[in-house]
Amino acid sequence: MSPTVRTDSAGRARLAVLALLASIVVPLVAAGLRSVLWALAGIAGLALAAVGVWWTLAHTGVLRALGAALSVAAPVAVLALYAMFGMLGPALLSLGLWLLAVTAARTVPAPGHTAAFQQAFVEAPRSPWILMNPRSGGGKVGRFHLVEKARTAGCRVALLDADQHQDVTELARQAVAEGADLLAVAGGDGTQALVAEVAAHHDVPFVVIPAGTRNHFALDLGLDRDDPAAALDALTDGVELRVDLGYAADRVFVNNASFGMYASVVTDPAYRDAKTRTTLRTLPALLTGEDAPRLRTRAGRTHVDGLQALLVSNNPYGRAVDAARPGRRERLDSGLLGVVCVRVANTAQAACIVRGPRSGQLIRLNAGEVVVESDTGTLPVGIDGEHVVLPSPVVCRSAPGALRVRVPRRRPGRPRASGTAPDWPRVVRLALGR
């Protein structure tokens, strides 16, 4: 580690430690030892809100109405109580300082930590080929004039026809057979995954044009989702990254494969046109009904059963409370699958979920291979938003460095190196200059 980097890390460590200490001191100054009681009141409010959410999702009728009211009333009541006794300001300040401390601590590189992606500068392709879906993202292909701009950049463009079924994988294979030395997709993550698999198989570069609705893969590559055309700069001023692909049985995914509740909900034909209504209608049976799915998983040496939902991701997602990168993947080349498991069967377990991973209801794991199974012969799976049914058990695995991705050298969301979790003993030692 260079002296400049070491000095920068020490500064971040001091900021993290000072913010953490301040988050403790603020409520102590405001309320003395009674601050412990105020903290317990806040935790109780969160637990009641979690119970309310559970009743809303897992039941119907009066209990659902009570749950919806409780999920709102509990945190509002706690905030009103804080305000009444002059604790709202100190509580918010303490929370802000704690978030600052965690964020600063996470940006302190761990020993031997490398950049989020290893990249190499490359020459422009001679015969690039791009598949475009005009319907993706509400018509982004037409709105951003992607066809014209791609052809101006020397690309051969293939447009999907909404009126007939086309085999995306076969189109990509044919393009390679005809001499394409780069494959690209302007569409959603599901289409991206199909073409990415062909690119990986033939070891040709792949370019992501974020023309879908969510574009999570593009987000974690650092691309500008608000300007899909900017991704075309990868053809003339790009760098190449080696990233992993995930597989669920023989189906590739660039983001994740979901099992259980979500995968079952999206099988309903009404889901596409009425997502919220369909979800609320089907969830009670999926959570507490006699036929509610119960999943089992094996991730490395860890076995977990009694799960209602399970998400297997191509590289681990950050925690939702991480202010630096909430719900995003810091890197796509770790060679690991991320696993998030949900196991909530009753009201008591719903209340305990506020404890996070220690509760046993929300479980996070990392592994190179994950096996998912149930008592049924098949499992519905949502693979990058596309619904499929696979034979049980489903073996998910990571293919490290399988895909060559070209991205613009200058991109707004370029990932920065940071630690995956705060290592507080090391942060304290750095802050003290040791």
Side-chain angles (χ1 to χ4, degrees):
M1 185 182 294
S2 68
T4 302
V5 173
R6 187 181 298 111
T7 301
D8 184 51
S9 298
R12 296 178 184 181
R14 293 188 189 98
L15 174 62
V17 171
L18 289 174
L20 182 63
L21 292 175
S23 71
I24 299 171
V25 170
V26 166
L28 286 175
V29 171
L33 294 179
R34 287 178 301 171
S35 59
V36 176
L37 298 177
W38 287 112
L40 293 176
I43 294 172
L46 290 175
L48 288 174
V51 168
V53 172
W54 168 255
W55 286 354
T56 302
L57 297 178
H59 299 280
T60 59
V62 175
L63 202 53
R64 169 170 283 181
L66 288 175
L70 182 61
S71 63
V72 175
V76 169
V78 171
L79 291 175
L81 193 64
Y82 277 24
M84 185 182 302
F85 288 90
M87 285 298 299
L88 182 58
L92 293 176
L93 178 58
S94 179
L95 177 61
L97 289 167
W98 176 79
L99 289 173
L100 174 61
V102 172
T103 301
R106 284 179 61 89
T107 60
V108 176
H113 191 83
T114 59
F117 295 108
Q118 298 298 321
Q119 59 187 31
F121 292 93
V122 290
E123 296 181 356
R126 296 183 302 276
S127 181
W129 176 87
I130 298 184
L131 178 69
M132 297 191 178
N133 185 351
R135 300 180 63 184
S136 288
K140 284 184 177 180
V141 168
R143 196 160 63 248
F144 288 91
H145 309 288
L146 295 181
V147 174
E148 297 84 351
K149 292 178 180 179
R151 286 173 175 163
T152 300
C155 300
R156 182 157 53 95
V157 178
L159 283 173
L160 288 178
D161 189 342
D163 296 328
Q164 60 178 331
H165 173 74
Q166 293 173 282
D167 189 330
V168 170
T169 301
E170 185 56 36
L171 289 174
R173 288 172 179 164
Q174 182 179 346
V176 174
E178 294 174 353
D181 60 350
L182 179 144
L183 301 180
V185 174
D189 288 325
T191 308
Q192 300 276 2
L194 294 174
V195 179
E197 182 179 24
V198 177
H201 179 75
H202 292 279
D203 195 33
V204 298
F206 180 68
V207 169
V208 176
I209 312 294
T213 303
R214 296 179 179 85
N215 302 293
H216 291 302
F217 190 42
L219 174 67
D220 292 330
L221 287 169
L223 301 177
D224 186 352
R225 297 185 298 174
D226 296 325
D227 184 10
L232 292 170
D233 291 344
L235 301 175
T236 55
D237 186 23
V239 293
E240 189 169 294
L241 317 173
R242 277 281 184 178
V243 305
D244 309 334
L245 288 177
Y247 282 85
D250 61 344
R251 292 295 300 263
V252 70
F253 58 92
V254 294
N255 292 323
N256 53 64
S258 59
F259 300 81
M261 292 182 299
Y262 173 76
S264 298
V265 168
V266 297
T267 62
D268 194 309
Y271 177 77
R272 184 173 295 274
D273 297 323
K275 292 181 173 60
T276 302
R277 185 186 309 167
T278 305
T279 300
L280 291 175
R281 175 172 55 80
T282 56
L283 271 183
L286 295 174
L287 291 172
T288 57
E290 293 182 359
D291 298 326
R294 290 294 182 269
L295 304 173
R296 301 182 296 275
T297 187
R298 182 175 73 252
R301 297 182 179 180
T302 304
H303 296 250
V304 187
D305 58 13
L307 302 172
Q308 284 101 343
L310 184 145
L311 183 77
V312 180
S313 59
N314 176 26
N315 287 264
Y317 282 101
R319 300 180 187 275
V321 296
D322 175 16
R325 293 173 61 82
R328 292 179 58 182
R329 291 167 290 182
E330 178 183 299
R331 57 191 310 145
L332 293 169
D333 58 355
S334 70
L336 293 174
L337 299 172
V339 186
V340 180
C341 310
V342 178
R343 180 171 54 189
V344 182
N346 52 51
T347 301
Q349 290 182 354
C352 289
I353 204 169
V354 298
R355 297 177 58 202
R358 291 175 297 175
S359 68
Q361 273 65 68
L362 183 63
I363 304 163
R364 295 172 59 95
L365 304 166
N366 299 332
E369 182 178 282
V370 179
V371 180
V372 184
E373 57 184 332
S374 69
D375 295 330
T376 59
T378 59
L379 278 172
V381 190
I383 297 182
D384 285 339
E386 303 292 332
H387 170 255
V388 300
V389 177
L390 299 175
S392 176
V394 177
V395 178
C396 302
R397 61 181 177 86
S398 174
L403 183 64
R404 298 165 58 191
V405 178
R406 294 243 179 125
V407 293
R409 185 163 55 89
R410 296 181 180 88
R411 53 197 193 278
R414 184 175 178 177
R416 298 178 180 178
S418 64
T420 56
D423 182 356
W424 284 108
R426 181 171 183 273
V427 170
V428 172
R429 289 195 299 272
L430 276 174
L432 296 176
R434 298 177 183 174

